[in-house]
Each structure stands twice: as C-alpha cells, then as structure tokens.
Amino acid sequence: MTVSDFTAPADVLVLQHLFEDGPGFLGEWLDAQGVNWHLRCAEAGEDYPASVRGYRGLAVLGGAWSANDERPTLRQAEALIREADALGIPVIGHCLGGQLMARAFGGKVDRLRQPEVGWLPITRLDSPAAREWLGDAVQPTVYQWHQDGFTELPPGAELLASSSTCAHQAFALRQHLAMQFHIEITPAKIKDWLETPGHAYPVHVLLHRNSVQDPASMNAATLRHQSGSEAMADGIYRAWRARWKA
C-alpha cells in the first residue's frame, strides 16, 4: 500500500513527474503484492528524497517533459538512479523514466524521426535477458506515447527490444530495466491523456498514421490489448522484484 508518511519505512520509492502520469498498474501491482511504497510527485511540490538508501526498489515514471529539459527534479532523479545503482537497488524506468536511466548511465536521448502514440508492436530480441525481462512473446503489443527515445544505450547495456520507429525500446543494465513504452498503462490513464492530449497530438495523427493512432483506433485497441499488457507487466515487475535485496 502507498505509505503517505515518508518517515515510515517502505520497500519501494516511486518518482512521479507530472499529475497526469501516475503509477497506474504499477501501483495496483505493488498493492496486490502487499508491498509498502512511497510516492513522490514533483508537480505536486513533493521533494524527492536526498537518498534512496533503505529502499529495495526504485521506479521512475513517465511524463510529457523531455529528459534533456533543464529541470532540477530531472537531474535529481538521475542522481538517485546512479545512487541506486551504487547501492545495488534495482531501478525500473517507464518512458521518460527509462530515458532518464539512459542519461544517468551515460547514454543519449534525442528526438526521434517520428513519434509513437498508441498500441503498437515491438520485437523482443532472442536473448536470455530479453526473455527473462519481457517474457516469451516475440512481438508483444505495448502502449506508447513519446517523441524522444534513448538513441544511444549506456556502456554495457543490453538491448532487449526494438520497433520499426524506435530502435531502442528497452535495455537491461546490471539489475536495472529501462523501457520506452508504458507497461504501467491503464484505461483510466489513456482516457485522461486523450481528454488533454496536447497541441501536437492532432498534427501527429495526420502526419504519422503508421505510428500514431487516432482516439477511436486507440480505444478499440485498448479493449484488445489491455489484458495482455497487464500480464506482461506482471512478468516484468516480478523480474524486477526478484532482484530486490533481501
């Protein structure tokens, strides 16, 4: 359960950047597992902690910002990611969170040739690490909403998945997983995002029909793919939890 008293112990720290990009299925999964977790939201004015010492896992969520924006909370998130690595605390990053992981570990984040928005297939690489993290499906359909991507992986990182539009969909590095897609997605989050999609979205729908879904297509795809996404998320989060220190 979410522990609102930040002085009380918790196993997991979740860093949220914006109101609209909350923990979604990740929070549901942590609650179902009986895990106590802290949530800090930058847009709500909640300071990120000075240290991740004492936690067993760190999760970093997405958001409409660019990982390259000069925002103090983004740089602080990167510092916490590096500290977690030094302490042996597994980090899992979702979209912007994965991009911050790439930057924190020496990779590069740039604007892609075209955005990805909606339910789109990725191709899992045929490697033990890719199967362990992402499961057995070779071409799972996942939810995307991004214009940037980690265009250069950090030194030592292993690519786990790609797509025709975004070459680097997920990477593993030591005990960590960075994803470009939103495995924490829920229908409620999609509904909120479509209600206020931003000025760029209608233009992207017209210009990039092969990688950006219109609302009707997206909602229909949610009915087909949400359960599969949650099953994949369960496997990913279990693989992450298996790496937590006892």
Side-chain angles (χ1 to χ4, degrees), residues 24 30 32 48 51 62 67 72 88 120 124 145 147 153 168 176 187 189 197 207 214 216:
L30 290 169
Y48 291 168
S51 173
L120 300 166
R124 175 187 58 72
W145 196 310
Q147 299 183 68
L153 299 185
H168 302 141
H176 316 300
K189 287 186 73 166
L207 295 180
D214 61 77

Side-chain angles (χ1 to χ4, degrees), residues 186-201:
T186 62
K189 287 186 73 166
I190 294 173
K191 180 177 182 291
D192 289 345
W193 291 353
L194 285 177
E195 286 177 352
T196 55
H199 299 299
Y201 173 66

Side-chain angles (χ1 to χ4, degrees), residues 126-171:
D126 187 17
S127 69
R131 288 191 294 273
E132 182 180 1
W133 275 111
L134 304 182
D136 292 331
V138 176
Q139 281 200 314
T141 297
V142 296
Y143 191 82
Q144 311 267 13
W145 196 310
H146 66 99
Q147 299 183 68
D148 293 358
F150 24 88
T151 53
E152 292 183 16
L153 299 185
E158 179 178 352
L159 182 66
L160 304 182
S162 63
S163 72
S164 59
T165 302
C166 179
H168 302 141
Q169 283 285 346
F171 69 82

Side-chain angles (χ1 to χ4, degrees), residues 34 74 91 99 103 168 172 179 184 195-196 199 206 230 244:
L74 296 180
V91 184
Q99 295 169 9
R103 280 180 47 107
H168 302 141
M179 299 169 288
E184 87 297 347
E195 286 177 352
T196 55
H199 299 299
L206 295 175
E230 291 181 4
W244 298 358

Side-chain angles (χ1 to χ4, degrees), residues 22-235:
F25 184 75
L26 170 62
E28 297 174 13
W29 187 88
L30 290 169
D31 287 344
Q33 298 295 310
V35 174
N36 288 337
W37 50 289
H38 288 156
L39 177 67
R40 299 286 186 100
C41 178
E43 192 175 20
E46 297 171 349
D47 293 334
Y48 291 168
S51 173
V52 292
R53 189 176 297 276
Y55 291 104
R56 301 173 67 195
L58 171 64
V60 189
L61 300 175
W65 297 337
S66 167
N68 297 320
D69 287 348
E70 286 306 318
R71 296 178 181 271
T73 54
L74 296 180
R75 303 291 80 80
Q76 187 179 6
E78 289 174 1
L80 292 173
I81 289 166
R82 286 190 291 269
E83 184 198 24
D85 181 54
L87 295 173
I89 298 170
V91 184
I92 191 166
H94 308 71
C95 198
L96 173 58
Q99 295 169 9
L100 291 171
M101 291 174 66
R103 280 180 47 107
F105 293 139
K108 188 176 181 181
V109 175
D110 285 309
R111 183 61 51 92
L112 300 176
R113 289 183 299 102
Q114 62 188 84
E116 289 184 309
V117 181
W119 292 97
L120 300 166
I122 60 173
T123 299
R124 175 187 58 72
L125 273 66
D126 187 17
S127 69
R131 288 191 294 273
E132 182 180 1
W133 275 111
L134 304 182
D136 292 331
V138 176
Q139 281 200 314
T141 297
V142 296
Y143 191 82
Q144 311 267 13
W145 196 310
H146 66 99
Q147 299 183 68
D148 293 358
F150 24 88
T151 53
E152 292 183 16
L153 299 185
E158 179 178 352
L159 182 66
L160 304 182
S162 63
S163 72
S164 59
T165 302
C166 179
H168 302 141
Q169 283 285 346
F171 69 82
L173 180 63
R174 294 182 284 279
Q175 68 270 30
H176 316 300
L177 175 68
M179 299 169 288
Q180 186 54 71
F181 47 91
H182 284 277
I183 202 61
E184 87 297 347
I185 199 65
T186 62
K189 287 186 73 166
I190 294 173
K191 180 177 182 291
D192 289 345
W193 291 353
L194 285 177
E195 286 177 352
T196 55
H199 299 299
Y201 173 66
V203 177
H204 289 159
V205 169
L206 295 175
L207 295 180
H208 305 290
R209 294 187 180 276
N210 65 324
S211 65
V212 177
Q213 292 173 342
D214 61 77
S217 298
M218 190 186 301
N219 287 329
T222 299
L223 296 176
R224 295 194 303 272
H225 297 300
Q226 181 64 40
S227 61
S229 176
E230 291 181 4
M232 184 176 176
D234 177 72

